[in-house]
Amino acid sequence: MCVLSILSKEKSYGYEIMKELEKYNLKLKGVGSIYPILTKLKDQEWVDTYRELTDNGKVRVYYEINEKGRKYLRKKINEWLELQQDIKSLLQSGLEGDLL
């Protein structure tokens, strides 16, 4: 969900996505850790990929969220927000009962 959220803002490539995750203290084990996630997103057909030649002559694979991915992301965000609200209600009921 976090990677799709990043890609919903703009296309990106693996290392750049990893650095963006780190800005939110979401650290992966290493540079190679992002690629299984991106492969899964591609296999689920939530992102499209294309290759682009960099200035130093290397080929970089870019990932871009597609409409199917945006639909999935909206669904998952709504589920997450509902879950957050349910947990908040549960925790607040503990405060009201003076359990803490």
Side-chain angles (χ1 to χ4, degrees):
M1 191 167 58
C2 296
V3 172
L4 284 176
S5 182
I6 289 168
L7 292 173
S8 73
K9 296 174 186 119
E10 64 181 327
K11 66 180 180 175
S12 193
Y13 56 93
Y15 183 76
E16 191 174 60
I17 294 167
M18 202 174 84
K19 288 301 180 187
E20 187 67 19
L21 288 169
E22 287 177 0
K23 288 180 186 177
Y24 297 94
N25 293 320
L26 301 169
K27 296 182 181 177
L28 299 173
K29 292 182 181 180
V31 176
S33 301
I34 190 70
Y35 295 103
I37 296 167
L38 293 169
T39 298
K40 181 179 178 180
L41 295 177
K42 186 175 188 298
D43 289 347
Q44 295 293 329
E45 299 178 348
W46 295 328
V47 298
D48 298 322
T49 61
Y50 64 92
R51 299 178 189 283
E52 197 170 281
L53 192 62
T54 64
D55 292 339
N56 63 5
K58 293 184 179 181
V59 175
R60 181 174 286 152
V61 178
Y62 279 87
Y63 297 83
E64 189 169 27
I65 192 169
N66 57 32
E67 190 53 40
K68 185 176 178 181
R70 287 183 191 284
K71 183 177 178 181
Y72 176 77
L73 179 59
R74 280 190 294 273
K75 177 183 175 217
K76 296 315 273 182
I77 288 173
N78 286 330
E79 288 175 3
W80 172 253
L81 294 173
E82 287 175 20
L83 177 61
Q84 260 187 318
Q85 186 58 44
D86 293 343
I87 292 170
K88 182 180 176 183
S89 296
L90 174 66
L91 295 177
Q92 285 177 331
S93 72
L95 289 174
E96 292 166 3
D98 204 27
L99 294 175
L100 299 176

